Short mmCIF file of all heavy atoms in Angstrom, two decimals:
data_model
loop_
_atom_site.label_atom_id
_atom_site.label_comp_id
_atom_site.label_asym_id
_atom_site.label_seq_id
_atom_site.Cartn_x
_atom_site.Cartn_y
_atom_site.Cartn_z
N GLY V 163 19.93 -2.77 2.17
CA GLY V 163 19.12 -2.93 3.46
C GLY V 163 18.43 -1.66 3.79
O GLY V 163 17.32 -1.56 4.32
N GLU V 164 19.13 -0.53 3.71
CA GLU V 164 18.51 0.77 4.03
C GLU V 164 17.35 1.12 3.16
O GLU V 164 16.32 1.70 3.54
CB GLU V 164 19.55 1.89 3.90
CG GLU V 164 20.67 1.79 4.96
CD GLU V 164 21.91 2.67 4.68
OE1 GLU V 164 21.84 3.48 3.66
OE2 GLU V 164 22.87 2.60 5.30
N LEU V 165 17.49 0.72 1.81
CA LEU V 165 16.35 0.97 0.80
C LEU V 165 15.11 0.13 1.30
O LEU V 165 14.02 0.70 1.25
CB LEU V 165 16.79 0.49 -0.50
CG LEU V 165 15.75 0.63 -1.67
CD1 LEU V 165 15.27 2.12 -1.83
CD2 LEU V 165 16.26 0.05 -2.92
N LEU V 166 15.36 -1.16 1.68
CA LEU V 166 14.17 -1.89 2.14
C LEU V 166 13.59 -1.41 3.45
O LEU V 166 12.42 -1.38 3.54
CB LEU V 166 14.69 -3.37 2.26
CG LEU V 166 15.00 -4.12 1.08
CD1 LEU V 166 15.52 -5.53 1.38
CD2 LEU V 166 13.85 -4.19 0.05
N ASN V 167 14.55 -1.00 4.37
CA ASN V 167 14.01 -0.39 5.56
C ASN V 167 13.10 0.89 5.31
O ASN V 167 12.09 1.02 5.91
CB ASN V 167 15.10 0.04 6.48
CG ASN V 167 15.92 -1.05 7.08
OD1 ASN V 167 17.03 -0.84 7.40
ND2 ASN V 167 15.37 -2.25 7.10
N ALA V 168 13.52 1.62 4.29
CA ALA V 168 12.74 2.87 3.93
C ALA V 168 11.36 2.49 3.42
O ALA V 168 10.36 3.07 3.83
CB ALA V 168 13.53 3.73 2.92
N ALA V 169 11.32 1.47 2.58
CA ALA V 169 10.09 1.07 2.03
C ALA V 169 9.14 0.60 3.14
O ALA V 169 7.94 0.87 3.13
CB ALA V 169 10.29 -0.04 0.97
N GLY V 170 9.59 -0.15 4.05
CA GLY V 170 8.88 -0.64 5.16
C GLY V 170 8.47 0.42 6.18
O GLY V 170 7.50 0.28 6.93
N ASN V 171 9.18 1.47 6.20
CA ASN V 171 9.09 2.49 7.27
C ASN V 171 8.15 3.69 6.72
O ASN V 171 8.21 4.82 7.24
CB ASN V 171 10.33 3.03 7.74
CG ASN V 171 11.10 2.00 8.66
OD1 ASN V 171 10.44 1.13 9.18
ND2 ASN V 171 12.34 2.23 8.81
N GLY V 172 7.40 3.52 5.70
CA GLY V 172 6.42 4.43 5.27
C GLY V 172 6.69 5.12 3.96
O GLY V 172 5.80 5.64 3.37
N GLU V 173 7.95 4.97 3.38
CA GLU V 173 8.22 5.60 2.23
C GLU V 173 7.36 5.13 1.06
O GLU V 173 6.95 5.94 0.24
CB GLU V 173 9.61 5.45 1.94
CG GLU V 173 10.17 6.20 0.56
CD GLU V 173 11.57 5.90 0.27
OE1 GLU V 173 11.93 4.77 0.05
OE2 GLU V 173 12.37 6.91 0.12
N LEU V 174 7.11 3.83 1.01
CA LEU V 174 6.32 3.22 -0.06
C LEU V 174 4.98 3.75 -0.09
O LEU V 174 4.35 4.11 -1.17
CB LEU V 174 6.44 1.77 -0.13
CG LEU V 174 5.82 1.00 -1.20
CD1 LEU V 174 6.52 1.30 -2.47
CD2 LEU V 174 5.77 -0.48 -1.03
N ARG V 175 4.39 3.84 1.12
CA ARG V 175 3.04 4.34 1.20
C ARG V 175 2.92 5.88 0.84
O ARG V 175 1.94 6.31 0.27
CB ARG V 175 2.40 4.09 2.58
CG ARG V 175 2.06 2.68 2.96
CD ARG V 175 1.56 2.41 4.36
NE ARG V 175 1.01 1.12 4.48
CZ ARG V 175 0.87 0.48 5.64
NH1 ARG V 175 1.24 1.08 6.74
NH2 ARG V 175 0.14 -0.64 5.68
N ASN V 176 3.87 6.55 1.24
CA ASN V 176 3.90 7.98 0.91
C ASN V 176 4.06 8.14 -0.67
O ASN V 176 3.53 9.10 -1.14
CB ASN V 176 5.10 8.73 1.68
CG ASN V 176 4.88 10.29 1.51
OD1 ASN V 176 5.44 10.77 0.53
ND2 ASN V 176 4.33 10.84 2.52
N PHE V 177 4.82 7.39 -1.28
CA PHE V 177 5.08 7.49 -2.67
C PHE V 177 3.82 7.08 -3.48
O PHE V 177 3.53 7.68 -4.53
CB PHE V 177 6.27 6.66 -3.12
CG PHE V 177 6.48 6.59 -4.59
CD1 PHE V 177 7.09 7.73 -5.29
CD2 PHE V 177 6.14 5.49 -5.36
CE1 PHE V 177 7.26 7.65 -6.63
CE2 PHE V 177 6.34 5.49 -6.70
CZ PHE V 177 6.86 6.56 -7.36
N SER V 178 3.22 5.96 -3.07
CA SER V 178 2.03 5.52 -3.84
C SER V 178 0.69 5.86 -3.18
O SER V 178 0.11 6.86 -3.36
CB SER V 178 2.23 3.98 -4.15
OG SER V 178 2.37 3.26 -2.89
N VAL V 179 0.12 4.81 -2.56
CA VAL V 179 -1.13 4.99 -1.90
C VAL V 179 -1.12 4.36 -0.56
O VAL V 179 -0.53 3.34 -0.31
CB VAL V 179 -2.19 4.19 -2.76
CG1 VAL V 179 -3.60 4.21 -2.04
CG2 VAL V 179 -2.33 4.83 -4.17
N ASP V 180 -1.68 5.04 0.53
CA ASP V 180 -1.74 4.50 1.78
C ASP V 180 -3.17 3.98 2.09
O ASP V 180 -4.08 4.84 2.37
CB ASP V 180 -1.40 5.64 2.76
CG ASP V 180 -1.31 5.13 4.18
OD1 ASP V 180 -1.76 4.00 4.52
OD2 ASP V 180 -0.79 5.92 5.12
N ARG V 181 -3.32 2.69 1.98
CA ARG V 181 -4.75 2.13 2.18
C ARG V 181 -5.21 2.31 3.59
O ARG V 181 -6.43 2.45 3.85
CB ARG V 181 -4.70 0.74 1.72
CG ARG V 181 -4.80 0.50 0.24
CD ARG V 181 -4.82 -0.84 -0.23
NE ARG V 181 -5.03 -0.93 -1.74
CZ ARG V 181 -6.19 -1.37 -2.28
NH1 ARG V 181 -7.11 -1.72 -1.53
NH2 ARG V 181 -6.25 -1.37 -3.64
N GLN V 182 -4.31 2.28 4.59
CA GLN V 182 -4.75 2.52 5.99
C GLN V 182 -5.33 3.91 6.11
O GLN V 182 -6.30 4.06 6.82
CB GLN V 182 -3.56 2.31 6.88
CG GLN V 182 -3.08 0.87 7.05
CD GLN V 182 -4.16 0.05 7.74
OE1 GLN V 182 -5.05 -0.65 7.11
NE2 GLN V 182 -4.11 0.03 9.09
N LEU V 183 -4.75 4.86 5.46
CA LEU V 183 -5.23 6.21 5.52
C LEU V 183 -6.60 6.34 4.90
O LEU V 183 -7.53 6.96 5.46
CB LEU V 183 -4.25 7.22 4.76
CG LEU V 183 -4.53 8.72 4.78
CD1 LEU V 183 -4.24 9.19 6.23
CD2 LEU V 183 -3.69 9.40 3.75
N ILE V 184 -6.75 5.71 3.75
CA ILE V 184 -8.04 5.72 2.99
C ILE V 184 -9.14 5.00 3.83
O ILE V 184 -10.26 5.54 3.98
CB ILE V 184 -7.92 5.05 1.69
CG1 ILE V 184 -6.95 5.84 0.83
CG2 ILE V 184 -9.26 4.96 0.90
CD1 ILE V 184 -6.46 5.09 -0.45
N LYS V 185 -8.89 3.85 4.34
CA LYS V 185 -9.78 3.06 5.21
C LYS V 185 -10.17 3.82 6.47
O LYS V 185 -11.24 3.57 7.03
CB LYS V 185 -9.30 1.75 5.54
CG LYS V 185 -9.14 0.77 4.37
CD LYS V 185 -8.54 -0.52 4.83
CE LYS V 185 -8.32 -1.54 3.64
NZ LYS V 185 -7.72 -2.71 4.02
N SER V 186 -9.33 4.80 6.96
CA SER V 186 -9.71 5.52 8.10
C SER V 186 -10.64 6.76 7.77
O SER V 186 -11.01 7.46 8.70
CB SER V 186 -8.36 6.05 8.76
OG SER V 186 -7.83 7.15 8.02
N GLY V 187 -10.87 6.96 6.48
CA GLY V 187 -11.85 7.99 6.20
C GLY V 187 -11.25 9.14 5.46
O GLY V 187 -11.64 10.31 5.64
N TYR V 188 -10.34 8.91 4.52
CA TYR V 188 -9.83 9.84 3.51
C TYR V 188 -10.03 9.35 2.18
O TYR V 188 -9.91 8.16 1.85
CB TYR V 188 -8.29 10.03 3.85
CG TYR V 188 -7.96 10.76 5.07
CD1 TYR V 188 -7.78 10.07 6.29
CD2 TYR V 188 -7.78 12.18 5.08
CE1 TYR V 188 -7.42 10.64 7.50
CE2 TYR V 188 -7.32 12.71 6.30
CZ TYR V 188 -7.19 12.01 7.47
OH TYR V 188 -6.87 12.67 8.62
N THR V 189 -10.28 10.28 1.21
CA THR V 189 -10.20 9.94 -0.15
C THR V 189 -8.88 10.36 -0.68
O THR V 189 -8.32 11.45 -0.38
CB THR V 189 -11.34 10.75 -1.01
OG1 THR V 189 -12.61 10.38 -0.47
CG2 THR V 189 -11.28 10.38 -2.42
N GLN V 190 -8.22 9.47 -1.38
CA GLN V 190 -6.81 9.81 -2.01
C GLN V 190 -6.95 9.90 -3.51
O GLN V 190 -7.60 9.01 -4.18
CB GLN V 190 -5.80 8.84 -1.60
CG GLN V 190 -4.43 9.19 -2.03
CD GLN V 190 -3.30 8.61 -1.21
OE1 GLN V 190 -3.48 7.73 -0.46
NE2 GLN V 190 -2.05 8.93 -1.45
N VAL V 191 -6.38 10.95 -4.10
CA VAL V 191 -6.37 11.16 -5.46
C VAL V 191 -4.96 11.17 -6.04
O VAL V 191 -4.10 11.97 -5.51
CB VAL V 191 -7.06 12.51 -5.86
CG1 VAL V 191 -7.10 12.64 -7.43
CG2 VAL V 191 -8.49 12.46 -5.30
N VAL V 192 -4.59 10.34 -7.01
CA VAL V 192 -3.27 10.35 -7.59
C VAL V 192 -3.42 10.74 -9.06
O VAL V 192 -4.18 10.05 -9.86
CB VAL V 192 -2.63 8.98 -7.49
CG1 VAL V 192 -1.29 8.98 -8.09
CG2 VAL V 192 -2.53 8.42 -6.04
N VAL V 193 -2.83 11.89 -9.42
CA VAL V 193 -2.95 12.42 -10.78
C VAL V 193 -1.65 12.46 -11.54
O VAL V 193 -0.67 12.85 -10.96
CB VAL V 193 -3.51 13.84 -10.64
CG1 VAL V 193 -3.80 14.49 -12.02
CG2 VAL V 193 -4.83 13.81 -9.86
N ASP V 194 -1.63 12.05 -12.83
CA ASP V 194 -0.56 12.26 -13.72
C ASP V 194 -0.45 13.68 -14.09
O ASP V 194 -1.39 14.34 -14.58
CB ASP V 194 -0.74 11.46 -14.98
CG ASP V 194 -0.58 9.96 -14.74
OD1 ASP V 194 -0.01 9.48 -13.82
OD2 ASP V 194 -1.37 9.21 -15.43
N VAL V 195 0.81 14.31 -13.88
CA VAL V 195 0.89 15.78 -14.20
C VAL V 195 0.82 15.84 -15.72
O VAL V 195 1.11 14.84 -16.48
CB VAL V 195 2.19 16.33 -13.73
CG1 VAL V 195 2.26 16.28 -12.19
CG2 VAL V 195 3.40 15.69 -14.33
N ARG V 196 0.54 17.02 -16.18
CA ARG V 196 0.45 17.27 -17.68
C ARG V 196 1.59 16.70 -18.45
O ARG V 196 2.77 16.96 -18.08
CB ARG V 196 0.37 18.82 -17.83
CG ARG V 196 0.50 19.44 -19.18
CD ARG V 196 0.52 20.90 -19.20
NE ARG V 196 -0.71 21.51 -18.53
CZ ARG V 196 -1.69 22.02 -19.24
NH1 ARG V 196 -1.50 22.18 -20.56
NH2 ARG V 196 -2.73 22.61 -18.64
N GLY V 197 1.30 16.03 -19.52
CA GLY V 197 2.31 15.54 -20.37
C GLY V 197 2.98 14.26 -19.85
O GLY V 197 3.93 13.81 -20.57
#
């Protein structure tokens, strides 16, 4: 339950992509590190 709470409380958006942030006027870049 704590894991699901974390996902719903912003952890998932911080880990992947926050579309609300992008729609508010930010560009987000996700890059694979070398190798």
Side-chain angles (χ1 to χ4, degrees):
E164 293 165 9
L165 178 64
L166 294 177
N167 292 159
N171 287 340
E173 185 186 53
L174 189 62
R175 283 174 168 164
N176 189 276
F177 175 75
S178 58
V179 175
D180 186 347
R181 284 182 171 251
Q182 289 293 94
L183 186 71
I184 297 164
K185 291 177 180 179
S186 73
Y188 290 86
T189 300
Q190 185 158 9
V191 182
V192 182
V193 181
D194 292 325
V195 301
R196 171 184 298 255

